[in-house]
Amino acid sequence: MSNNTIFEIKNLVKDFPALRAVDDVSLTIHKGEAVFIVGPSGSGKSTVLRCLNFLEKPTSGEIIFNGSPVGKTERELDAYRAKAGMVFQHFNLFPHLTIKENIMLAPVKNHIMSRSQASKKADELLARIGLADKANAYPMQLSGGQKQRVAIIRALAMEPDVILFDEPTSALDPEMVGEVLNLMKELSREGMTMIVVTHEIGFACEVAHRMVFMDHGKMIACGTPDELVNKSDNPRVKDFFAKVL
């Protein structure tokens, strides 16, 4: 394993009753890479991501993060999740906390920053996305695009090694998608390691270093966007991209 490898996923399987949602997926992800997982609905994309975060417990296989197998105790998982941020489809902001409190909560609770450090960091991050004036607002007072950008900087506040994005634009009105994608583009340019499940195939082709195509729980193809979109001789891969691009 090279020292710039951040994730090694080995033979990952996730079974639900009567369904194998993830079927023997193996993948290596390097620091600074943006890896996009694409494929039809129900292909297992989001389940892979949820297994990486242990929101779903893998049935079998191994997940190695920064050279060490991911621990299974709650304490070990908390330490791991502090380094592997997650951005959800539906924002998951706490409705009873202000925007700034939402951003400060995890760094303070995990003893990564003092309250004053977390407050300063939250102010910097809100200014970065042009929402400094929303620090004391509540989530219900923000648009969907604003909420999702706050969810992204909330993950950034933990200073993670990688951010996992689970269909970050699928709950947004079309005119709000751009502001979220622009922030993700910026993060990728700055070298943030990102694993992104998305239906925004044009965006994936523009930003991804590599794309993974999944179907029926299996990883069918992995390569650069050009390799998958223009050069694949796999009929299933060709058919998918012909329909979505």
Side-chain angles (χ1 to χ4, degrees):
M1 172 162 170
S2 75
N3 60 4
N4 78 335
T5 299
I6 200 159
F7 265 121
E8 259 193 302
I9 302 156
K10 296 182 176 179
N11 310 109
L12 185 68
V13 171
K14 177 61 186 176
D15 288 328
F16 294 106
L19 172 71
R20 175 154 286 188
V22 178
D23 189 359
D24 196 28
V25 167
S26 295
L27 184 64
T28 300
I29 290 163
H30 304 101
K31 285 176 186 161
E33 251 194 323
V35 176
F36 281 63
I37 306 176
V38 301
S41 293
S43 59
K45 308 182 297 291
S46 286
T47 308
V48 166
L49 215 61
R50 291 176 69 81
C51 285
L52 285 186
N53 198 256
F54 282 79
L55 292 166
E56 297 288 354
K57 193 176 172 204
T59 304
S60 62
E62 193 173 21
I63 296 169
I64 296 169
F65 180 70
N66 282 337
S68 304
V70 175
K72 305 296 191 291
T73 69
E74 271 312 308
R75 184 188 286 265
E76 287 170 324
L77 281 178
D78 284 347
Y80 162 64
R81 286 184 183 129
K83 287 291 166 197
M86 183 106 176
V87 175
F88 297 89
Q89 195 172 337
H90 294 289
F91 329 126
N92 287 23
L93 298 174
F94 293 106
H96 62 291
L97 298 179
T98 66
I99 296 308
K100 185 168 176 177
E101 287 166 346
N102 263 284
I103 297 164
M104 289 172 60
L105 182 67
V108 173
K109 196 176 167 196
N110 287 282
H111 309 294
I112 287 164
M113 295 176 198
S114 66
R115 277 196 71 78
S116 64
Q117 286 171 322
S119 172
K120 184 167 179 272
K121 183 82 174 174
D123 288 338
E124 285 168 8
L125 289 167
L126 282 166
R128 169 178 181 161
I129 60 168
L131 293 177
D133 59 329
K134 302 292 187 189
N136 297 314
Y138 287 86
M140 64 176 289
Q141 296 170 287
L142 270 58
S143 71
Q146 289 171 330
K147 284 182 204 169
Q148 193 57 294
R149 284 184 292 148
V150 168
I152 293 171
I153 63 166
R154 178 179 62 174
L156 279 181
M158 291 290 286
E159 299 179 344
D161 292 341
V162 59
I163 301 183
L164 313 174
F165 292 86
D166 187 11
E167 298 193 22
T169 58
S170 63
L172 299 179
D173 293 333
E175 69 266 29
M176 292 172 183
V177 167
E179 60 196 49
V180 173
L181 297 185
N182 285 338
L183 177 56
M184 291 172 67
K185 254 184 230 176
E186 236 177 76
L187 292 177
S188 178
R189 278 198 300 267
E190 289 166 10
M192 172 57 72
T193 311
M194 296 160 53
I195 307 172
V196 185
V197 168
T198 187
H199 289 292
E200 302 279 347
I201 306 299
F203 173 67
C205 289
E206 192 185 336
V207 177
H209 296 102
R210 282 187 298 152
M211 274 161 69
V212 171
F213 176 73
M214 287 189 66
D215 195 19
H216 296 298
K218 287 188 175 294
M219 190 170 101
I220 305 294
C222 177
T224 65
D226 183 50
E227 284 167 346
L228 263 63
V229 175
N230 301 317
K231 296 177 180 163
S232 175
D233 52 10
N234 182 304
R236 182 67 189 98
V237 176
K238 283 163 87 166
D239 179 57
F240 176 79
F241 286 109
K243 284 177 177 159
V244 298
L245 286 174

